[in-house]
Amino acid sequence: MNTFLLEIVTPEHLVYSKQVNSLTVRGVNGELGILPGHIPLVTPLQVAPLSVKADGVTVSIAVHGGFVEVHKDKVTVLAESAELPKDIDVERAEAAKERAERRLKLQSKQDEIDHRRAELALQRAVTRIKVSTGKGQQ
Ligand code: ATP
């Protein structure tokens, strides 16, 4: 079979474990498509949806940073947090998005750490909203 094992792991739990046909992730250097037999590599990921094709169906999963490790017959994604579409609370993500946007508006750019934190919170919220509303595959 033309598949490889994909595991998505967070410090809390195993989010996903399945034989898949392909995986597309947003690495720090751009989009990366992984098919069976891909050369081994490790690369950091952006806060972005990843997209997985398995059994002829493509699903997107919200992955918040971390790394992808490509091994011979297995790909592991290690992230701080990750959610399947069905596990996302959209209202919570909408509230987090508004909160982050409010913070970004109020802050001066000098508060660099707070600014970066709010930007990342905004990216997580936007990623969750995209994945849960089925727009994670663009
Ligand atoms: P919030 O401000 O709503 O807590 P956050 O981006 O700060 O969002 P994280 O620190 O990324 O949250 O995640 C903390 C835990 O809560 C993780 O287990 C994550 O999977 C979960 N989580 C966060 N937001 C949501 C959501 N909208 N739907 C489902 N689970 C969520």
Side-chain angles (χ1 to χ4, degrees), residues 12 81-83 87-89 92-93 96 99 121 124 128:
E12 285 161 18
S81 57
E83 302 96 28
D87 296 322
I88 294 174
D89 176 343
R92 176 174 165 182
R99 208 163 48 238
R124 290 195 298 275
R128 287 175 177 128

Side-chain angles (χ1 to χ4, degrees), residues 26-28 44-50 61-66 81-83 88 92-104 114-132 135-136:
R26 192 101 49 85
V28 287
L45 296 175
Q46 295 185 34
V47 174
L50 61 70
I61 301 172
V63 171
H64 308 294
S81 57
E83 302 96 28
I88 294 174
R92 176 174 165 182
E94 293 282 3
K97 178 172 178 273
E98 277 168 31
R99 208 163 48 238
E101 282 171 342
R102 216 166 34 239
R103 286 195 183 132
L104 286 171
D114 284 349
H115 194 84
R116 186 69 193 130
R117 196 181 285 168
E119 270 178 356
L120 287 171
L122 180 60
Q123 281 174 26
R124 290 195 298 275
V126 168
T127 297
R128 287 175 177 128
I129 293 164
K130 277 188 188 160
V131 166
S132 75
K135 293 188 183 133

Side-chain angles (χ1 to χ4, degrees), residues 33-113:
I34 299 162
L35 293 168
H38 195 285
I39 51 158
L41 66 83
V42 177
T43 194
L45 296 175
Q46 295 185 34
V47 174
L50 61 70
S51 125
V52 183
K53 192 169 171 201
D55 305 328
V57 181
T58 303
V59 290
S60 55
I61 301 172
V63 171
H64 308 294
F67 292 84
V68 63
E69 292 181 357
V70 182
H71 304 283
K72 197 165 169 281
D73 293 312
K74 181 178 171 183
V75 174
T76 308
V77 172
L78 296 158
E80 254 322 295
S81 57
E83 302 96 28
L84 300 174
K86 68 174 176 56
D87 296 322
I88 294 174
D89 176 343
V90 190
E91 278 177 25
R92 176 174 165 182
E94 293 282 3
K97 178 172 178 273
E98 277 168 31
R99 208 163 48 238
E101 282 171 342
R102 216 166 34 239
R103 286 195 183 132
L104 286 171
K105 240 183 244 165
L106 289 175
Q107 279 161 14
S108 67
K109 286 255 170 156
Q110 280 94 327
D111 305 328
E112 235 178 77
I113 293 172

